[in-house]
Amino acid sequence: MLPSSIYNISSINRFGVAGNNFHGELPPNLGILLPNLVEFYCDINNFTGNIPVSLSNASRLQLIDFFTNDFTGTIPGESLGSLRSLIWLNFAVNRLGNGKLGDLSFLNFLTNCTSLEYLGLSDNRFGGEIPRSIANLTTQLQVLDMGVNLLHGSLPKGIGNLINLIVLYVDLNYLAGVVPEEIGKLKKMGELYLEDNKFSGPIPSSLGNMTSLIELYMEKNNFQGSIPPSLGNCQNLLLLSLYNNNLTGSIPQKLMELSTLSISLDLSENYLTGPLPSNVGDLVHLTWLNVSNNKLSGEIPSTISSCTSLGGLYLDDNKFEGTIPQSLKDLKGLEELDISSNNLSGQIPDFLGKLGALKYLNLSYNDFEGELPKEGIFSNVSGASVLGNHRLCGGIPQLHLPTCHKNKHHSSGGPFPPKVVIPISCALAFIIALSCFFIARSMLKKSRDGLVTSRSYKDWKFGVSYSQLVESTNGFLVDNLIGSGSFGSVYKGVIPSDGTVVAIKVLNLQQQGASKSFNDECKALRSVRHRNLVKIITACSSIDNHGRDFKSLVFEFMPNGSLDSWLHPRDEEQSPSKRLNFMQRLNIAIDVASALDYLHNHCETSIVHCDLKPSNVLLDEDMVAHVGDFGLARFLLEASNDPSLSQIMSSQLKGSIGYIPPEYGMGGQVSIQGDVYSYGILLLEMFTGKTPTDDMFIEGLSIYKFAAIGLPDHVMDVVDPSLLLDLEADGSVNDDRYERTALPRRNNHGMVKAKKVEECLFAVMQIGLSCCAVSPRERMLLNMVVGKMSAIKDSYLKVQEG
C-alpha cells in the first residue's frame, strides 16, 4: 500500500511510486487528500481495485500513469473528463473492462480533455466497439494505444480527424470490416499497428499519404486485392509486414524502391503471383526478406546479391525455377536461407558451404542434381536440409545419399602412360617426405627456444619467444601494464622484429588452474573469428629467467583502451576529451551484442563469456568495439562441474559484482542467458553513466530500478549527463525541450527532433531492462537485440538527416 505519510503533504504536486512492488487499493479519497497533484505515477506495481473517482478533485492533474498494475472495473470517464489540463493518461497492462459493449464509453467524456497527447489502454479487457466519439478527441493526440483487448466492430468514421497521431495501436483485437481511406489523412503517423484482427477488403491506397510512416504492421488479417503501389511513397519506412492475408496480384516494383526498408519486408502466406521484381536489389539495407508461401514464379533474380545486409532470405513454397544464382555468394552475412518447395534445378553451388554466417539452409523438395558439398553448413546435418531431391549424391554420411559415380580415366585415355606417371609420383613423394622431415626438425628446435609456431596454432601470424616478449615490454615494466585480472596481467609491447604494437596477456601460473586455462583459451581463441572479438596474434609457452613456467597470449593492441575508461574517465583533465556521443554508444552496443551473438550461436561449440563488463570491451582506432577475455568461458564452463576448481570460478564471478545474473548467485549454471543479463547491465551503464555499484544504489535501489523509474516519460532524467551535453551541442535536445509534465508540443522542427531522440533513448532503455529480466527465459535474444539496436540507429540517423 502507499505510505500514509504522503497524505500529510496536501501541497505535493508531483508524486511517483513507480516500480516499487506496492499492492493493495488506492484510497478512494486520493484526489481529496492530494488536491494539488499535477503528476501522479504509480506504474509498474501491483495495485488492485478501482480507479479512484476522486481524482477529479485534483483539477490541475496533467499526467496519470497506472501502467502495469492489476486495476479492475471501469474507467471513471466523467471524473477524468473534468481534468481539462490532462496531457498523459496511461492505463495499459491492467485488467480493466468486462469484455462487453460499452467498455469504452468513457471516451465520450475525454473529448473535454483538449490537451490530451497520450492515451494508453492496451493489454486490458475492453470489449465492444470503438465509439464514434473517438473522432472528437483532441487533435493534439499523438499516441493512441488500444491494442491487445477484446474490441469488435470496425474502425469508426472520423478516425482521420486525429491529424497529429504519430502512433496508433489497435493490434490483437477482433476488429473487422474495411479500413477506411480517410486513415490516409494521418500524415504524421510514424507507427501503425493493425495486425492480428479480422480486417478485410483492400489495403487502402491512401496509406501512401503517410510519408512519415516508419513501421507498418497489417499481418494476420483478411485483406484482399493487390498491394497498392502507393506504399512506395512511404520513403521513411523501415518495416512492412503484410503476411498471412489473402493478397493477390504481383509485387509492385515501386515497393522495391524503398531503400529505407532495413528491418523487415514480410509478404509471406498470401497468393501473390508473377516474378520477384528484378529491382529487389535496391533494398540494400534490408536484413529480413520473406515472400514464402505464395505463387511467385520465374527465376530468382541475381540482383538480390546487392542486398548485402540480408540475414534472412525466405523464398520457399513458391514456383521459382532455374538455378541458384552464383551472385548469392556476395551475401556474406546471410544466416538463414530457405528456397525449399520450388522447381529449382541444376547443381548446388559450392559457395553456399563457404558462407561463414549461414546457420540454416533448406533446399528440400526441388530438382537439384549432382554431388552435394560437404563443407560449411553442409557438414551440419541439423542445419541443412536437402530432402526430396532424388538426383543428389555424396554429402556427409549422415544424410544417407547415394555415392557419386565418377568416370575413371584409363591409361589409354590419359596424357601420360603409367611407366612415366609412377616414377614421377615416387620421386615427388620422396621429396615431400624429406621436406617434412627438415620442417619438423626445425620446428622442434624452435619449440625448445620457446616458440609456438603457426603450424601449431592455425592462422597465427608468427611465433614469439619469451626473450622477445621481455624485450618488447622493457622487462614487463610497470609503466607498460595496461590491465590485470584473475588469471594474469596485460602489458603493452612492441615486437622488435617488425614494430608491431601488441597487448601481451601473461598468465599467473601461481593461480591454480591458470595453466589449464591457457590451453583452453588457446583452443577457444583459434577457432573463433569475428570483427568484434579481440583477435589473437600468437602465443608463447616457455620458461622464464628464473626457470619457472611462462605462458602468455599476444593480442591485437586496441589504441583507444577499454569502454570503462571512456564511460568513467579517472583523470578529470581528460574527461571532456573522453566523451562518447550517442552514435558512438549505439555502435559500441551493437558491436558487443554482435560479438556475443556470434559466440553463443555461430561458433562450432557455443561459448559463454561469463565476465562481460566495460573493462572487457576494447576500442580500436576507429572506435569499433572488440570483446576480450572470452577465451576463459569454456574453461569456466568445465570448472563449474569440477569441485577442485569451483573456488576459481567463484572468484572469477566475484570479480564482476553488479554484472552477475541473479541465478548465478543461487548456484545456477553459467549460460548464454547469463551473458544477456550482463549485456543488459552494460547497456544501462552506457546510457545512464552509472556503474551497477554506484554509491547511490542503496536501500534496494539498483541500476535496473533507476532506469525503470525514468520510463516511459522521464527518460531524459536518467540519461548520462555527459551524453545530454553532446545532444544539446548538436541540437537534438535543449534545456526548454520539455514541459516537465508530458511530451513536447510539436510546434517546430526542433521539438519534433527532440521527441524522436527521446524515443530512441526510451527504446534503448527498454532493451536494457528486457535483457535484465530476473527470469532467464524472459530475457531478449541477442540476435533480436542486434536487430532492434540497428533499427534505433537507423531511426536516429533519420532524425539527424531531417
Side-chain angles (χ1 to χ4, degrees), residues 19 111 146 159 185 241 309 312 338 346 368 370 411 420 454 516 532 570 633 683 685 760 765:
T111 57
M146 297 188 292
I159 190 76
K185 295 179 180 179
S241 182
S309 297
D338 193 340
F368 293 118
S411 59
V420 176
S454 60
K516 184 180 188 303
N532 299 123
R570 273 60 175 179
L683 189 62
E685 181 175 357
C760 290
M765 295 294 187

PDB file of all heavy atoms in Angstrom, residues 19 111 146 159 185 241 309 312 338 346 368 370 411 420 454 516 532 570 633 683 685 760 765:
ATOM      1  N   GLY A  19       7.537   1.258  -9.941  1.00  0.00           N
ATOM      2  CA  GLY A  19       8.464   0.144  -9.798  1.00  0.00           C
ATOM      3  C   GLY A  19       8.809  -0.213  -8.379  1.00  0.00           C
ATOM      4  O   GLY A  19       9.926  -0.624  -8.090  1.00  0.00           O
ATOM      5  N   THR A 111     -13.369  13.714 -24.506  1.00  0.00           N
ATOM      6  CA  THR A 111     -13.361  14.755 -25.544  1.00  0.00           C
ATOM      7  C   THR A 111     -13.217  16.148 -24.934  1.00  0.00           C
ATOM      8  O   THR A 111     -12.879  17.103 -25.643  1.00  0.00           O
ATOM      9  CB  THR A 111     -14.647  14.693 -26.384  1.00  0.00           C
ATOM     10  OG1 THR A 111     -15.769  14.824 -25.521  1.00  0.00           O
ATOM     11  CG2 THR A 111     -14.726  13.372 -27.131  1.00  0.00           C
ATOM     12  N   MET A 146      -4.687   1.057 -28.153  1.00  0.00           N
ATOM     13  CA  MET A 146      -5.830   0.233 -27.736  1.00  0.00           C
ATOM     14  C   MET A 146      -5.595  -1.240 -28.082  1.00  0.00           C
ATOM     15  O   MET A 146      -6.537  -2.025 -28.154  1.00  0.00           O
ATOM     16  CB  MET A 146      -7.106   0.737 -28.411  1.00  0.00           C
ATOM     17  CG  MET A 146      -7.494   2.154 -28.014  1.00  0.00           C
ATOM     18  SD  MET A 146      -9.119   2.641 -28.640  1.00  0.00           S
ATOM     19  CE  MET A 146      -8.779   2.707 -30.399  1.00  0.00           C
ATOM     20  N   ILE A 159     -11.871   8.753 -37.865  1.00  0.00           N
ATOM     21  CA  ILE A 159     -10.535   8.468 -37.347  1.00  0.00           C
ATOM     22  C   ILE A 159      -9.509   9.406 -37.984  1.00  0.00           C
ATOM     23  O   ILE A 159      -8.488   9.748 -37.382  1.00  0.00           O
ATOM     24  CB  ILE A 159     -10.168   6.983 -37.612  1.00  0.00           C
ATOM     25  CG1 ILE A 159      -8.886   6.602 -36.871  1.00  0.00           C
ATOM     26  CG2 ILE A 159     -10.034   6.711 -39.095  1.00  0.00           C
ATOM     27  CD1 ILE A 159      -9.034   6.397 -35.411  1.00  0.00           C
ATOM     28  N   LYS A 185      -5.345  10.439 -43.983  1.00  0.00           N
ATOM     29  CA  LYS A 185      -5.204  11.823 -43.528  1.00  0.00           C
ATOM     30  C   LYS A 185      -4.190  11.963 -42.396  1.00  0.00           C
ATOM     31  O   LYS A 185      -3.765  13.076 -42.077  1.00  0.00           O
ATOM     32  CB  LYS A 185      -6.559  12.357 -43.059  1.00  0.00           C
ATOM     33  CG  LYS A 185      -7.618  12.467 -44.150  1.00  0.00           C
ATOM     34  CD  LYS A 185      -8.924  12.992 -43.577  1.00  0.00           C
ATOM     35  CE  LYS A 185     -10.009  13.112 -44.645  1.00  0.00           C
ATOM     36  NZ  LYS A 185     -11.287  13.608 -44.066  1.00  0.00           N
ATOM     37  N   SER A 241       5.022  -5.290 -42.830  1.00  0.00           N
ATOM     38  CA  SER A 241       4.596  -6.663 -42.564  1.00  0.00           C
ATOM     39  C   SER A 241       3.157  -6.853 -43.045  1.00  0.00           C
ATOM     40  O   SER A 241       2.221  -6.276 -42.484  1.00  0.00           O
ATOM     41  CB  SER A 241       4.697  -6.969 -41.064  1.00  0.00           C
ATOM     42  OG  SER A 241       4.336  -8.302 -40.808  1.00  0.00           O
ATOM     43  N   SER A 309      23.034  -6.636 -46.747  1.00  0.00           N
ATOM     44  CA  SER A 309      22.744  -6.668 -45.312  1.00  0.00           C
ATOM     45  C   SER A 309      21.816  -7.813 -44.928  1.00  0.00           C
ATOM     46  O   SER A 309      21.487  -7.974 -43.755  1.00  0.00           O
ATOM     47  CB  SER A 309      22.112  -5.339 -44.867  1.00  0.00           C
ATOM     48  OG  SER A 309      22.998  -4.264 -45.057  1.00  0.00           O
ATOM     49  N   GLY A 312      18.318 -12.919 -43.316  1.00  0.00           N
ATOM     50  CA  GLY A 312      17.341 -13.980 -43.540  1.00  0.00           C
ATOM     51  C   GLY A 312      16.658 -13.800 -44.888  1.00  0.00           C
ATOM     52  O   GLY A 312      16.156 -12.716 -45.193  1.00  0.00           O
ATOM     53  N   ASP A 338      16.064 -20.189 -47.085  1.00  0.00           N
ATOM     54  CA  ASP A 338      15.082 -21.245 -47.335  1.00  0.00           C
ATOM     55  C   ASP A 338      14.522 -21.064 -48.746  1.00  0.00           C
ATOM     56  O   ASP A 338      13.810 -20.092 -49.014  1.00  0.00           O
ATOM     57  CB  ASP A 338      13.960 -21.186 -46.298  1.00  0.00           C
ATOM     58  CG  ASP A 338      13.084 -22.442 -46.317  1.00  0.00           C
ATOM     59  OD1 ASP A 338      13.097 -23.171 -47.338  1.00  0.00           O
ATOM     60  OD2 ASP A 338      12.393 -22.702 -45.310  1.00  0.00           O
ATOM     61  N   GLY A 346      19.506 -27.994 -61.359  1.00  0.00           N
ATOM     62  CA  GLY A 346      20.946 -27.786 -61.515  1.00  0.00           C
ATOM     63  C   GLY A 346      21.708 -28.259 -60.297  1.00  0.00           C
ATOM     64  O   GLY A 346      21.152 -28.861 -59.366  1.00  0.00           O
ATOM     65  N   PHE A 368      17.317 -30.582 -57.608  1.00  0.00           N
ATOM     66  CA  PHE A 368      18.755 -30.422 -57.691  1.00  0.00           C
ATOM     67  C   PHE A 368      19.415 -31.773 -58.000  1.00  0.00           C
ATOM     68  O   PHE A 368      18.891 -32.841 -57.647  1.00  0.00           O
ATOM     69  CB  PHE A 368      19.314 -29.860 -56.382  1.00  0.00           C
ATOM     70  CG  PHE A 368      18.879 -28.447 -56.104  1.00  0.00           C
ATOM     71  CD1 PHE A 368      18.124 -28.136 -54.985  1.00  0.00           C
ATOM     72  CD2 PHE A 368      19.212 -27.414 -56.976  1.00  0.00           C
ATOM     73  CE1 PHE A 368      17.715 -26.839 -54.726  1.00  0.00           C
ATOM     74  CE2 PHE A 368      18.814 -26.109 -56.725  1.00  0.00           C
ATOM     75  CZ  PHE A 368      18.063 -25.824 -55.602  1.00  0.00           C
ATOM     76  N   GLY A 370      23.490 -33.896 -58.849  1.00  0.00           N
ATOM     77  CA  GLY A 370      24.935 -33.871 -58.725  1.00  0.00           C
ATOM     78  C   GLY A 370      25.409 -34.039 -57.296  1.00  0.00           C
ATOM     79  O   GLY A 370      24.639 -34.373 -56.391  1.00  0.00           O
ATOM     80  N   SER A 411      44.537 -45.760 -68.733  1.00  0.00           N
ATOM     81  CA  SER A 411      45.844 -45.304 -69.216  1.00  0.00           C
ATOM     82  C   SER A 411      45.816 -44.881 -70.663  1.00  0.00           C
ATOM     83  O   SER A 411      46.523 -43.979 -71.078  1.00  0.00           O
ATOM     84  CB  SER A 411      46.879 -46.415 -69.012  1.00  0.00           C
ATOM     85  OG  SER A 411      46.477 -47.588 -69.704  1.00  0.00           O
ATOM     86  N   VAL A 420      55.508 -43.605 -67.046  1.00  0.00           N
ATOM     87  CA  VAL A 420      56.005 -42.245 -66.783  1.00  0.00           C
ATOM     88  C   VAL A 420      55.456 -41.719 -65.459  1.00  0.00           C
ATOM     89  O   VAL A 420      56.161 -41.110 -64.655  1.00  0.00           O
ATOM     90  CB  VAL A 420      55.620 -41.286 -67.929  1.00  0.00           C
ATOM     91  CG1 VAL A 420      56.047 -39.858 -67.611  1.00  0.00           C
ATOM     92  CG2 VAL A 420      56.236 -41.771 -69.228  1.00  0.00           C
ATOM     93  N   SER A 454      53.073 -21.110 -36.263  1.00  0.00           N
ATOM     94  CA  SER A 454      51.789 -21.079 -36.931  1.00  0.00           C
ATOM     95  C   SER A 454      51.321 -22.478 -37.298  1.00  0.00           C
ATOM     96  O   SER A 454      50.141 -22.697 -37.511  1.00  0.00           O
ATOM     97  CB  SER A 454      51.871 -20.208 -38.187  1.00  0.00           C
ATOM     98  OG  SER A 454      52.837 -20.734 -39.073  1.00  0.00           O
ATOM     99  N   LYS A 516      45.917 -24.701 -17.116  1.00  0.00           N
ATOM    100  CA  LYS A 516      44.838 -25.319 -17.892  1.00  0.00           C
ATOM    101  C   LYS A 516      44.058 -24.245 -18.636  1.00  0.00           C
ATOM    102  O   LYS A 516      43.637 -24.435 -19.778  1.00  0.00           O
ATOM    103  CB  LYS A 516      43.904 -26.099 -16.966  1.00  0.00           C
ATOM    104  CG  LYS A 516      42.819 -26.850 -17.723  1.00  0.00           C
ATOM    105  CD  LYS A 516      41.921 -27.598 -16.763  1.00  0.00           C
ATOM    106  CE  LYS A 516      40.960 -28.510 -17.527  1.00  0.00           C
ATOM    107  NZ  LYS A 516      40.127 -27.815 -18.489  1.00  0.00           N
ATOM    108  N   ASN A 532      34.211  -8.197 -34.086  1.00  0.00           N
ATOM    109  CA  ASN A 532      34.007  -7.571 -32.782  1.00  0.00           C
ATOM    110  C   ASN A 532      34.553  -8.400 -31.627  1.00  0.00           C
ATOM    111  O   ASN A 532      34.148  -8.209 -30.477  1.00  0.00           O
ATOM    112  CB  ASN A 532      32.520  -7.276 -32.564  1.00  0.00           C
ATOM    113  CG  ASN A 532      31.958  -6.316 -33.585  1.00  0.00           C
ATOM    114  OD1 ASN A 532      31.000  -6.627 -34.277  1.00  0.00           O
ATOM    115  ND2 ASN A 532      32.578  -5.147 -33.719  1.00  0.00           N
ATOM    116  N   ARG A 570      39.127   8.431 -15.265  1.00  0.00           N
ATOM    117  CA  ARG A 570      39.673   8.676 -13.924  1.00  0.00           C
ATOM    118  C   ARG A 570      40.346  10.032 -13.823  1.00  0.00           C
ATOM    119  O   ARG A 570      40.358  10.668 -12.781  1.00  0.00           O
ATOM    120  CB  ARG A 570      40.692   7.588 -13.563  1.00  0.00           C
ATOM    121  CG  ARG A 570      40.094   6.340 -12.912  1.00  0.00           C
ATOM    122  CD  ARG A 570      39.090   5.657 -13.779  1.00  0.00           C
ATOM    123  NE  ARG A 570      38.607   4.400 -13.196  1.00  0.00           N
ATOM    124  CZ  ARG A 570      37.698   3.642 -13.772  1.00  0.00           C
ATOM    125  NH1 ARG A 570      37.134   4.016 -14.925  1.00  0.00           N
ATOM    126  NH2 ARG A 570      37.313   2.518 -13.216  1.00  0.00           N
ATOM    127  N   ALA A 633      35.837 -18.608 -21.133  1.00  0.00           N
ATOM    128  CA  ALA A 633      34.480 -19.103 -20.924  1.00  0.00           C
ATOM    129  C   ALA A 633      34.414 -20.619 -20.897  1.00  0.00           C
ATOM    130  O   ALA A 633      33.787 -21.205 -20.018  1.00  0.00           O
ATOM    131  CB  ALA A 633      33.557 -18.555 -22.010  1.00  0.00           C
ATOM    132  N   LEU A 683      24.508  -2.200 -21.030  1.00  0.00           N
ATOM    133  CA  LEU A 683      23.772  -1.252 -21.869  1.00  0.00           C
ATOM    134  C   LEU A 683      23.203  -0.117 -21.023  1.00  0.00           C
ATOM    135  O   LEU A 683      23.295   1.067 -21.396  1.00  0.00           O
ATOM    136  CB  LEU A 683      22.650  -1.980 -22.618  1.00  0.00           C
ATOM    137  CG  LEU A 683      21.920  -1.194 -23.707  1.00  0.00           C
ATOM    138  CD1 LEU A 683      22.878  -0.794 -24.821  1.00  0.00           C
ATOM    139  CD2 LEU A 683      20.770  -2.015 -24.287  1.00  0.00           C
ATOM    140  N   GLU A 685      24.368   0.888 -18.196  1.00  0.00           N
ATOM    141  CA  GLU A 685      25.514   1.666 -17.736  1.00  0.00           C
ATOM    142  C   GLU A 685      25.992   2.641 -18.808  1.00  0.00           C
ATOM    143  O   GLU A 685      26.331   3.798 -18.513  1.00  0.00           O
ATOM    144  CB  GLU A 685      26.652   0.718 -17.353  1.00  0.00           C
ATOM    145  CG  GLU A 685      27.898   1.406 -16.834  1.00  0.00           C
ATOM    146  CD  GLU A 685      28.950   0.427 -16.347  1.00  0.00           C
ATOM    147  OE1 GLU A 685      28.689  -0.800 -16.355  1.00  0.00           O
ATOM    148  OE2 GLU A 685      30.042   0.881 -15.951  1.00  0.00           O
ATOM    149  N   CYS A 760      14.264   7.324 -29.139  1.00  0.00           N
ATOM    150  CA  CYS A 760      15.413   6.425 -29.326  1.00  0.00           C
ATOM    151  C   CYS A 760      16.005   6.013 -27.982  1.00  0.00           C
ATOM    152  O   CYS A 760      16.303   4.834 -27.752  1.00  0.00           O
ATOM    153  CB  CYS A 760      16.486   7.111 -30.179  1.00  0.00           C
ATOM    154  SG  CYS A 760      16.036   7.333 -31.916  1.00  0.00           S
ATOM    155  N   MET A 765      16.687   2.015 -23.460  1.00  0.00           N
ATOM    156  CA  MET A 765      16.477   1.640 -22.057  1.00  0.00           C
ATOM    157  C   MET A 765      15.553   0.424 -21.948  1.00  0.00           C
ATOM    158  O   MET A 765      15.763  -0.463 -21.105  1.00  0.00           O
ATOM    159  CB  MET A 765      15.879   2.818 -21.281  1.00  0.00           C
ATOM    160  CG  MET A 765      16.804   4.013 -21.166  1.00  0.00           C
ATOM    161  SD  MET A 765      18.278   3.685 -20.184  1.00  0.00           S
ATOM    162  CE  MET A 765      18.990   5.315 -20.104  1.00  0.00           C
TER     163      MET A 765
END
